[in-house]
Amino acid sequence: MTTQDIGIESFHYYWNNEHKPLVHIKSGDKVHFEVNEVSSWQITKNAKREALVNLDSKKFYPLSGPVYVEGASEGDTLLIEVEEVKTADWGWSSIVSGLGLLPEFSDPYLWIWDLSKQEKSVEFKNGIKVPLAPFCGVMGVAPKEKGSFDVMPPGKHGGNMDIKHLTAGSKLFLPVWTEGALFSVGDIHAAMGDGEVCVTAIECPGEVSLKFELIKDARISSPRFITSKEIVPNLGPCVVTTGIAPDLMEACRLATRNMIDYLVRNHGLDRNEAYILCSVAADLKVHEVVDAPNWVVGLWIEESVLGKK
Amino acid sequence: MTTQDIGIESFHYYWNNEHKPLVHIKSGDKVHFEVNEVSSWQITKNAKREALVNLDSKKFYPLSGPVYVEGASEGDTLLIEVEEVKTADWGWSSIVSGLGLLPEFSDPYLWIWDLSKQEKSVEFKNGIKVPLAPFCGVMGVAPKEKGSFDVMPPGKHGGNMDIKHLTAGSKLFLPVWTEGALFSVGDIHAAMGDGEVCVTAIECPGEVSLKFELIKDARISSPRFITSKEIVPNLGPCVVTTGIAPDLMEACRLATRNMIDYLVRNHGLDRNEAYILCSVAADLKVHEVVDAPNWVVGLWIEESVLGKK
């Protein structure tokens, strides 16, 4: 078993099964990755709102990799054990016009988080604290098809799945689509709610250590994972708003609007702040998809996050 | 503060704001409800698969109530504190042609659960145990509009929301739409997964004790709830299958199909059994709804439920 390093100067945009591998590994090996901030440092620690206005979206999602896994080929499964995810001492969240779940938020808005205290949570305002549980928004392999593919949409190759539960101690199983698998990683988040409703989590640069195992011919058709024992919090009472509608996406929107209303009324946030808090600390769950024609979605936030009223 | 009783012989089908109230209560009062089984006893403890074939759907959802809350009117909020939910010593789950998330399951299939041991979980097969956490699938108030409305779809009046988290100790806030609120309850479940993918939970007759409080003029536009401290389990490691698709419902279907495949391959279940296990013990979560054009849904099941392989 060996450990190899990929430094911060080596990265690629787009998924492409013809990218040249940076390292070659065997099943059982580990790789330590330095990971760039998701906008390629267009947003920095001291950035102001103006930085959002001229963002170059071609520089989104710099990925660290690819890693060539010897012996991997289509039909195999790549098991990635997340050993450690470390963030830098700051992060950012924003509302970006045209992105996110709620179209009515059209003005750019930026929040910089101070993570220098390295505690288990980070202060927002009015006693609200967001629990920190770092993970990688993007872990994926090269697609089967030739050509360059945007990182934004996730797919059968995994990629930008934004699954907040892929914290240290978790195990991700990805289907392999091309020789060597060509695994890459990026988009470190210090915290996120299921759904990532405003389109950003707490976005950070950082470092990741992953261990890889190749499972030959274990055909799976979509990513699968096993959560960590240590990281899943001992959930306390939660406040939950619902969205009930004949379309699941609309139900997600309604639940989010109702939570924003709740936070503005009861916790002294403005609507932008409330939307960002939903994105980094509240979880979307599907309560029923069978009581036709209306489905029920809930947006969950822990009371302990909200502090005292 | 008084407690009133509603017996098993009193029930109604359909929501209708002209139903005659069975009891009148004041804010702060409690009501103890006996609740019929959801098919009005067309399915019984010793039922066989044949019972599913000629089910009369007009007899679905017998509701206990309505309860008239003095002083309640449109714009108020009714707070329902769930004090106790008790099931009978048996329950049932089924696959019903034409209902449920997956259209490819078209043959009726019935599973009777023995709940007579009154333990914290009920045995399925192959060492699989489903944790029991009883709740009411239906809690609602009369709609604003005149006329009779099917119980099946939930809505702004609450109703058949199938929220598994409304266990003893939880608090449900419902918007009031009509004078007296006209609250009713039904459809007791011993256990259910978020999503209720095969359309049934563990369906049971039983008893419910609820306490009511009226919050004047606290306009909310959709039901909201606060979970119980005691009932939320201390979640252990989970196996999660994903569905990644440009439509959330399709993503739910894919995640469910992938979980069925997983359970069939690894836990010796047939496809019908696996589908039912998903419906009663696995939870749908929305991992992201912003990485256009593909969304990520996960179906979660605790490893501890699955026992040893």
Side-chain angles (χ1 to χ4, degrees), chain B residues 208-227:
Chain B
V208 189
S209 292
L210 303 176
K211 185 181 175 192
F212 296 87
E213 266 181 58
L214 184 64
I215 308 170
K216 287 300 293 179
D217 204 35
R219 291 169 191 277
I220 58 174
S221 55
S222 185
R224 176 192 301 162
F225 60 96
I226 299 177
T227 59

Side-chain angles (χ1 to χ4, degrees), chain B residues 9-293:
Chain B
E9 69 290 349
S10 304
F11 58 86
H12 64 89
Y13 301 111
Y14 302 104
W15 294 107
N16 190 318
N17 63 25
E18 295 180 315
H19 276 319
K20 191 167 177 280
L22 295 183
V23 298
H24 284 69
I25 66 165
K26 289 190 169 59
S27 179
D29 285 355
K30 298 182 185 184
V31 180
H32 173 261
F33 303 80
E34 289 178 353
V35 178
N36 286 283
E37 178 278 327
V38 70
S39 74
S40 299
W41 309 91
Q42 295 180 84
I43 306 286
T44 56
K45 206 179 198 168
N46 303 310
K48 305 286 175 215
R49 182 178 172 282
E50 290 65 40
L52 294 172
V53 180
N54 294 313
L55 278 180
D56 178 359
S57 64
K58 290 197 192 106
K59 294 187 175 168
F60 285 169
Y61 299 111
L63 301 186
S64 194
V67 172
Y68 185 102
V69 182
E70 284 180 20
S73 58
E74 190 182 343
D76 297 344
T77 293
L78 185 62
L79 163 54
I80 300 109
E81 294 189 38
V82 181
E83 298 207 330
E84 191 178 27
V85 185
K86 279 166 66 177
T87 68
D89 64 354
W90 69 283
W92 62 277
S93 302
S94 75
I95 297 172
V96 185
S97 177
L99 297 175
L101 184 65
L102 301 182
E104 64 266 36
F105 284 84
S106 53
D107 289 335
Y109 184 88
L110 180 65
W111 189 275
I112 302 288
W113 304 85
D114 175 8
L115 306 177
S116 63
K117 290 183 189 158
Q118 291 295 336
E119 289 173 345
K120 287 188 177 172
S121 62
V122 58
E123 207 145 328
F124 191 47
K125 60 180 283 186
N126 299 348
I128 298 171
K129 287 182 177 188
V130 176
L132 298 175
F135 69 99
C136 299
V138 178
M139 288 196 275
V141 293
K144 182 175 178 172
E145 297 75 16
K146 276 204 190 308
S148 286
F149 297 90
D150 278 342
V151 177
M152 178 69 140
K156 286 187 297 184
H157 62 291
N160 189 27
M161 296 188 291
D162 280 321
I163 295 174
K164 64 176 272 188
H165 312 276
L166 294 175
T167 50
S170 65
K171 296 174 182 180
L172 172 63
F173 300 80
L174 290 177
V176 174
W177 300 104
T178 192
E179 205 183 305
L182 299 180
F183 174 91
S184 299
V185 60
D187 194 21
I188 291 180
H189 295 156
M192 195 191 90
D194 276 312
E196 201 190 18
V197 292
C198 89
V199 86
T200 52
I202 298 183
E203 310 286 332
C204 308
E207 296 169 51
V208 189
S209 292
L210 303 176
K211 185 181 175 192
F212 296 87
E213 266 181 58
L214 184 64
I215 308 170
K216 287 300 293 179
D217 204 35
R219 291 169 191 277
I220 58 174
S221 55
S222 185
R224 176 192 301 162
F225 60 96
I226 299 177
T227 59
S228 158
K229 189 171 184 173
E230 295 92 44
I231 305 296
V232 173
N234 188 347
L235 200 68
C238 293
V239 179
V240 186
T241 52
T242 64
I244 304 178
D247 174 79
L248 269 177
M249 190 61 87
E250 186 58 22
C252 291
R253 286 194 193 101
L254 291 174
T256 305
R257 289 186 184 121
N258 289 328
M259 182 61 85
I260 291 170
D261 287 346
Y262 171 82
L263 293 169
V264 167
R265 270 201 226 173
N266 295 283
H267 292 277
L269 302 182
D270 69 28
R271 297 187 68 78
N272 287 323
E273 291 163 350
Y275 189 27
I276 278 185
L277 185 64
C278 288
S279 196
V280 302
D283 293 327
L284 279 171
K285 287 171 78 80
V286 179
H287 296 309
E288 67 84 7
V289 283
V290 290
D291 299 328

Side-chain angles (χ1 to χ4, degrees), chain A residues 154 162 222-223 225 240 242 291 294, chain B residues 154 162 222-223 225 240 242 291 294:
Chain A
D162 281 319
S222 185
F225 60 97
V240 186
T242 63
D291 298 329
N294 290 345
Chain B
D162 280 321
S222 185
F225 60 96
V240 186
T242 64
D291 299 328
N294 289 345

Side-chain angles (χ1 to χ4, degrees), chain A residues 6 12 14-17 19 25 33 35 61-69 72 77-80 82 136-144 149-163 166 172-187 208 210 212 222-224, chain B residues 244:
Chain A
I6 295 181
H12 64 91
Y14 303 104
W15 293 107
N16 191 318
N17 63 25
H19 276 319
I25 66 166
F33 303 79
V35 177
Y61 299 113
L63 301 185
S64 193
V67 172
Y68 186 102
V69 181
T77 292
L78 186 62
L79 162 55
I80 300 110
V82 181
C136 299
V138 178
M139 288 196 274
V141 293
K144 183 175 178 173
F149 297 91
D150 277 342
V151 176
M152 179 71 140
K156 286 187 298 183
H157 62 290
N160 189 27
M161 296 188 291
D162 281 319
I163 295 174
L166 295 175
L172 172 64
F173 299 79
L174 290 177
V176 174
W177 300 104
T178 192
E179 204 182 307
L182 298 179
F183 174 90
S184 298
V185 61
D187 194 20
V208 189
L210 304 175
F212 296 87
S222 185
R224 176 193 302 162
Chain B
I244 304 178

